[in-house]
Amino acid sequence: MRLTQGTFSFLPDLTDEQISAQVQYCLDRAWAVSIEHTSDPHPRNTYWEMWGQPMFDLVDAVGFMESLAECREAHGDRYIRVLAFDASPGWESVRLSFLVNRPEHEPGFRLERREMSGRIIRYTTHSYATDRPVDERYGRTNGAEPEAHGS
Amino acid sequence: MGPETVGGGAGAADAADGAVDLRALYDASGAREILEQLDRELVGLVPVKRRIREISSLLLVERARREVGLSHEAPTLHMSFTGNPGTGKTTVAHRMADLLHRLGYIRRGQLVSVTRDDLVGQYIGHTAPKTKEILKKAMGGVLFIDEAYYLYRSENERDYGQESIEILLQVMENQREDLVVILAGYADRMDHFFSANPGFRSRIAHHIEFPDYRDEELISIARTMLERQNYRLSEAAEDALQEYVALRRAQPHFANARSIRNALDRARLRQANRLFQADAGPLNAAELSTLDEADIRASRVFSGGLGGAGREATAAAPADPEAPPDSEAPPDPGAGS
Ligand SMILES: Nc1ncnc2c1ncn2[C@@H]1O[C@H](COP(=O)(O)OP(=O)(O)O)[C@@H](O)[C@H]1O
Ligand SMILES: [Mg+2]
């Protein structure tokens, strides 16, 4: 199941050239960009792991693309996203957030029904991937090495 | 100047016959404004300005050659600026960034100015991330490394500077279209640095030397600086400044135009103090903007500066004759009225 989170997620995956252009758009507006990754794509999991510090004072997207390449090298089997923060209102607010990497195989979510007293049902989404330890979540079940994502 | 042929109004490249109009290319780039501004705002520096014009012609021709398919590789544009402090290296580097941007050799045109401390860390594993961080910020623009020779410490072969040097060399070679590096510093130390680091020497395409300013040039720089702030020198003050320049040059920590800037800052302070103390009724614009002889002559430079036993060179005074002496504290605004 293809994960749709953040801006552009209903479009085909962005190419590196398109990612770079979007990041340049952010930099031109003096937004600080940062990279985050996770193996738990639950929609309510807002706190992904940071890849380095937010990149303040960056002028050109080349520096960002180098960081992204490093992150993909280390975590190519995970979801990776870009966040762009705008500090001009006096606090850091997210202006733009979009996925720049996804696992090759995305197991998706199942809906769980929990039956409560009085015929009440509670619903919850459960990510299949999180049934397994962090490092094994997106590996192939046949035992092959998880493939690094490249786009 | 650039090409001297008077170009027509046509576009830079004429697709029909593959011809390129250099003049149109030059006009469209906006490089002219930068070069004219350089001439107008920077006194002297004749050899520097000449070299910059040569480089811009070269880059313009290179661009034309690219347009007609004669060249494909990004030229090496890394430079070294050598000269004593206050000779305009940092100022010119900013203009150079702007120029390279307009001529299309860097994408953004920012200048990131650093020294060893910004690039080199304090412990193992600290240096590479620091250097890379700076490089990311400089991408698309110019990285200006002031006193670059501090990166290399010959007495310690395990100095962390070496790691930074290796990263820089790699980027200077492989990412020529992403960034231009300018190394700056004293000429003799730079020579030594280059002979110990041939990798740097071979990657630097343009060596530009910044000569010390002559006395007249420093006076003229003083005039430009004051003009910009709507101040002027009285005739006697200008004579005093001539003497000041000659004396100051022989004293320690002389830093060319920067010493002049500092001298003028203190002269303005003394002028304000003088006007305030005199308390002579309403002042007109001329009085408010004129620096007088006394405002210059009160400087310690006239009483021997560093070594002298002048009136202001007390034992407690700092060694630098440009440091503001205590006796010249700003007036207390409540005292006179
Ligand atoms: N040729 C010049 N004309 C006018 N001002 C100058 C000139 N050269 C230097 N200055 C001024 O002197 C000061 C020091 O110059 P800077 O570029 O910082 O020197 P450096 O980097 O060589 O130490 C600056 O305020 C600069 O504006
Ligand atoms: Mg400088």
Side-chain angles (χ1 to χ4, degrees), chain B residues 117-122 126-135:
Chain B
D117 286 351
D118 301 298
L119 296 168
V120 179
Q122 303 289 318
H126 194 196
T127 298
K130 263 186 110 162
T131 300
K132 286 181 184 162
E133 196 65 22
I134 295 290
L135 283 168

Side-chain angles (χ1 to χ4, degrees), chain B residues 275-325:
Chain B
L275 294 177
F276 190 81
Q277 301 292 339
D279 198 15
L283 297 165
N284 60 27
E287 288 164 317
L288 283 169
S289 57
T290 305
L291 299 182
D292 224 337
E293 186 180 7
D295 304 328
I296 307 286
R297 291 207 184 268
S299 166
R300 271 183 299 168
V301 166
F302 287 99
S303 47
L306 227 194
R311 143 181 92 83
E312 290 172 58
T314 59
D320 185 350
E322 287 172 24

